[in-house]
Amino acid sequence: MRIVMIIGAISVIYDLFLRLVNRHVAFSSFFLVIGLGLMGLGISEYYFHLPIFTMLPIQIKILLGIMVMGFSFSFIAFILKCSSCSKRKYNHDFEVIVLFGAGLFQDVISRSLKVRLDKAYQLAKQCPLAIIIVTGGQGKNETVSEALAMADYLREKGIASKRIILEDQSTTSYENLVYALKKYDFRQQKTALVSNQFHLYRIEKLAKKLGIQGVGVSGYLHSVALPVFYTREYFALLKAYLTRKI
């Protein structure tokens, strides 16, 4: 139980650290809740001699063990798949570049979004005839849409406005693609799906379901929040499977 308490404490400290250095990272509360739960379980058994886990029926223990093992193996497989997608080689002959939105701090571009934008800019220079579709609506605590902020960034870098199409109504990755197709049907064109490394596997699966010839392309994000991003993305992938979007 001491190990359980240590793992729980590490999770809580990690969440508090993210709140201190990054102001707010969506889904980091998952680590806080899990950490507090593990600490509570460990303290109740180690200090108050309330063996909550050991009192459970054997069937429940087996089920919990299977769930933990299933999560662990599938999560590792997911990370490896994302890594494989991000290292894939591709030809620079894209006809369309779809840029997936990410959160803003009011109207200020986040670090993860800047990485995506810089990669999209690089591709735009390498594929001078490619159409660029920037996607993402205006979220809570954002003063402009993500699409507009991205378009402004690319224009300031010298990308011509006539190459940029704005899709500014979506709130999810699935909607990014669905609403982008309503703006410009690119299903028969070779498309770069630009995001961060942890996002590539899901957006490629979403694109395939919609009949898009999409290849995931990422700018690599170095961040202490990567465990949060991968965990959040893992559950987003599960949700996409359950709702049959992929």
Side-chain angles (χ1 to χ4, degrees), residues 1 40-57 61 64:
M1 277 298 127
L41 183 64
I43 290 171
S44 66
E45 186 157 342
Y46 190 77
Y47 289 105
F48 298 103
H49 307 293
L50 297 174
I52 297 175
F53 181 76
T54 54
M55 291 172 59
L56 293 174
K61 291 180 183 179
L64 289 174

Side-chain angles (χ1 to χ4, degrees), residues 30-229:
F30 173 83
F31 287 83
L32 178 63
V33 172
I34 293 297
L36 291 175
L38 292 176
M39 288 178 65
L41 183 64
I43 290 171
S44 66
E45 186 157 342
Y46 190 77
Y47 289 105
F48 298 103
H49 307 293
L50 297 174
I52 297 175
F53 181 76
T54 54
M55 291 172 59
L56 293 174
I58 186 64
Q59 296 88 344
I60 301 298
K61 291 180 183 179
I62 293 173
L63 179 61
L64 289 174
I66 292 173
M67 290 174 62
V68 170
M69 289 181 62
F71 169 77
S72 300
F73 284 118
S74 61
F75 187 68
I76 292 171
F78 165 69
I79 292 175
L80 292 175
K81 193 67 179 179
C82 290
S83 177
S84 175
C85 290
S86 66
K87 294 176 180 178
R88 185 189 300 120
K89 296 186 182 299
Y90 51 85
N91 296 321
H92 295 89
D93 56 353
F94 296 112
E95 300 167 275
V96 177
I97 300 168
V98 178
L99 184 53
F100 287 77
L104 306 173
F105 298 110
Q106 295 187 337
D107 62 346
V108 178
I109 289 170
S110 63
R111 185 180 175 190
S112 60
L113 184 54
K114 185 179 185 303
V115 169
R116 303 180 191 192
L117 281 163
D118 289 340
K119 190 63 179 183
Y121 172 73
Q122 181 186 15
L123 288 178
K125 299 296 287 184
Q126 294 168 337
C127 309
L129 299 180
I131 295 295
I132 304 163
I133 306 177
V134 290
T135 68
Q138 182 175 340
K140 185 173 63 174
N141 300 324
E142 295 177 345
T143 57
V144 298
S145 70
E146 294 164 10
L148 179 59
M150 291 189 285
D152 288 343
Y153 183 92
L154 293 173
R155 292 188 191 112
E156 291 174 4
K157 298 273 282 186
I159 301 299
S161 295
K162 64 181 180 181
R163 295 181 61 188
I164 303 173
I165 297 175
L166 273 73
E167 180 291 295
D168 59 0
Q169 300 301 311
S170 58
T171 59
T172 66
S173 298
Y174 180 73
E175 289 181 356
N176 287 160
L177 291 172
V178 171
Y179 294 169
L181 286 171
K182 293 180 180 180
K183 293 282 186 175
Y184 179 74
D185 193 339
F186 53 93
R187 278 173 287 197
Q188 301 305 314
Q189 296 176 275
K190 189 172 181 182
T191 303
L193 307 169
V194 181
S195 189
N196 301 115
Q197 69 272 21
F198 51 82
H199 197 201
L200 294 190
Y201 182 65
R202 180 163 63 101
I203 60 177
E204 284 188 352
K205 301 288 281 186
L206 292 171
K208 184 178 180 180
K209 183 76 171 183
L210 294 169
I212 297 168
Q213 301 178 38
V215 177
V217 180
S218 69
Y220 197 86
L221 175 66
H222 298 275
S223 172
V224 294
L226 279 179
V228 176
F229 296 148

